[in-house]
Amino acid sequence: MQTQLADFIKDTPEGREADEILRNCVHCGFCTATCPTYQLLGDELDGPRGRIYLIKTMLEGQEVSARTQLHLDRCLSCRACETLCPSGVRYGRLADIGRGIIEEKVGRPWRQRLQRLALRKLLAYPRRFGPLLAVARRMRPLLPAAWRGKIPIRAPAAAWPSRPQARKMLILEGCVQPVMAPSINAAAANVLDRLGIGLIRPEGGGCCGALSYHLAAHEEGKDFMRRNIDAWWPYIEAGAEAIVITASGCGVMVKEYGQILKHDLVYAEKAERVSALAKDIGEVVASGDWEKLRPPSTRRIAFQSPCTLQHGQRLNGLVEGLLRSLGFELIPVANPHLCCGSAGTYSILQPKLSQELLAAKLKALEAGEPDLIATANIGCLAHLQSQAKVLVRHWVELLIS
Ligand code: SF4
Ligand code: SF4
């Protein structure tokens, strides 16, 4: 695609990156049919090719409006379009750049600004979100049924293993997950302990930055990234082998630290190293002696592969293969490439579309009457559990229970 970027952007690092991505798009439209929002809304501008066109015209200096912003807001950032694109267009990166610029150009009504600010300032901070969730859990029985499902029940967390291991890795603590489901990282620590790996929880780390970054608060997101790098760096210098991430949404973000901070004079090199060390828990388990992990009883499960695992990290089939090798029966699920509608804060900001996607995903997951649903991302887990008829767990928890 030919481009002629406007003066305000063409000589900036983001402008050059966006230009390169735009030029790769040949406008073939192969990606359109796979896009969940195009499937629901039937509007070219609510599909990847249309959104690419909208971003291109904005970067070329044409007028943009709240309507343009709405088409970008409706995008789930699921990146199913990237998986299908024959030209390797990095749509997710282009969408992040486009959202940052349109936020400055168009702004938002105060209600939207307040809602987005509240999400960023609450969810990314466990010390703020934790007490709020505790109050909501206490009030759960008094709430209407529709609200009750949105407040997950806290599963008990296993004790963190304490025996010393020669092999050491770091774990991303995260923000929402340790408050909603501390059992997940505890399960990962116990599984890796059985594989001879000790997991270190560095002080000072936290949110991966995705929450702010995908809400177009780019500098705030980068600050979270730098904070994690500072927390991890002494352990990396001391020889930590990897950074283990149990939420696939955070995993895709940490794997992109190097790309996002590549123009940061202080952090660029460190960010690149951090991204190279980032591993989804599935990658770590699959490369170890996983035969030791065979659980005493296995179940029929439906696996929901999060978009961030299959499209973002391109690890489609890895966890499914591992679970099958460990003896689990995986029930076939229709349209596994489609998003469940969770997509970070999307379920709160675009509730109607999100609920339609959730209903379709649960229909597909529950069609084979599984004992439970397994997933690999806390956002998907909470979203699916809000309406599922069966229990939803992170797959790594199944290896210790
Ligand atoms: S993003 Fe890829 S698949 Fe979609 S229109 Fe562009 S080149 Fe074609
Ligand atoms: S990221 Fe997902 S929702 Fe957004 S354009 Fe691509 S396929 Fe559609």
Side-chain angles (χ1 to χ4, degrees), residues 24-32 48-49 52 81 84-87 89:
N24 281 340
C25 176
V26 294
H27 231 58
C28 62
F30 285 163
C31 52
T32 302
R49 183 168 65 173
I52 289 170
C81 48
L84 218 79
C85 174
S87 305
V89 172

Side-chain angles (χ1 to χ4, degrees), residues 12 59 98 109 163 173 203 208 219 261 265 280 297 349 370 379 387 391:
T12 65
L59 299 183
R163 63 178 168 166
E173 287 283 7
E203 285 286 318
C208 66
E219 283 312 311
L261 294 173
L265 294 177
D280 183 80
S297 68
L349 298 172
Q387 302 282 338
L391 194 62

Side-chain angles (χ1 to χ4, degrees), residues 42-311:
D43 183 340
E44 170 81 13
L45 296 179
D46 284 311
R49 183 168 65 173
R51 291 181 176 124
I52 289 170
Y53 177 75
L54 290 175
I55 295 169
K56 174 183 181 288
T57 53
M58 174 174 69
L59 299 183
E60 289 182 335
Q62 291 187 34
E63 277 293 297
V64 281
S65 64
R67 191 80 208 161
T68 320
Q69 191 175 44
L70 179 63
H71 291 301
L72 295 189
D73 283 352
R74 283 180 184 154
C75 169
L76 294 141
S77 293
C78 69
R79 290 160 71 162
C81 48
E82 280 191 24
T83 297
L84 218 79
C85 174
S87 305
V89 172
R90 293 186 298 128
Y91 169 84
R93 182 68 192 132
L94 183 69
D96 275 333
I97 295 172
R99 284 179 175 139
I101 293 164
I102 203 164
E103 205 73 9
E104 285 169 22
K105 283 189 173 292
V106 176
R108 286 182 186 277
W110 70 268
R111 271 175 205 274
Q112 284 187 27
R113 286 207 308 275
L114 192 66
Q115 188 184 31
R116 285 163 173 257
L117 185 71
L119 288 171
R120 281 171 22 223
K121 297 299 176 191
L122 284 176
L123 298 182
Y125 297 88
R127 282 191 191 151
R128 298 174 194 171
F129 179 50
L132 262 181
L133 185 64
V135 171
R137 274 180 172 142
R138 255 182 242 125
M139 291 175 63
R140 202 171 185 274
L142 308 174
L143 296 174
W147 285 36
R148 245 178 275 151
K150 294 189 187 301
I151 302 167
I153 297 162
R154 187 182 166 116
W160 202 271
S162 55
R163 63 178 168 166
Q165 299 284 3
R167 295 183 65 192
K168 300 245 182 279
M169 295 185 184
L170 304 167
I171 188 149
L172 168 79
E173 287 283 7
C175 53
V176 167
Q177 183 174 290
V179 175
M180 284 172 106
S183 52
I184 296 174
N185 275 358
N190 280 283
V191 165
L192 295 190
D193 182 63
R194 278 149 65 184
L195 297 179
I197 298 167
L199 267 188
I200 305 165
R201 292 190 281 183
E203 285 286 318
C207 176
C208 66
L211 209 140
S212 303
Y213 201 81
H214 295 317
L215 285 173
H218 288 177
E219 283 312 311
E220 186 176 278
K222 286 179 187 175
D223 283 342
F224 279 114
M225 296 173 202
R226 294 184 192 105
R227 200 177 75 167
N228 279 334
I229 294 171
D230 286 341
W232 296 333
W233 198 250
Y235 298 96
I236 292 171
E237 287 194 307
E241 282 179 53
I243 300 158
V244 181
I245 300 147
T246 53
S248 59
C250 306
V252 72
M253 184 89 268
V254 179
K255 287 182 176 181
E256 290 177 356
Y257 277 14
Q259 177 189 305
I260 292 169
L261 294 173
K262 73 176 170 196
H263 300 292
D264 186 309
L265 294 177
V266 179
Y267 284 87
E269 266 182 49
K270 288 181 180 176
E272 206 180 316
R273 175 107 177 94
V274 159
S275 289
L277 289 173
K279 297 272 177 281
D280 183 80
I281 179 70
E283 293 175 272
V284 181
V285 174
S287 65
D289 189 5
W290 49 262
E291 276 286 349
K292 288 180 186 166
L293 302 172
R294 196 171 284 278
S297 68
T298 57
R299 287 166 273 187
R300 296 178 80 239
I301 59 175
F303 184 70
Q304 182 259 352
S305 180
C307 303
T308 42
L309 191 72
Q310 55 171 315
H311 306 304

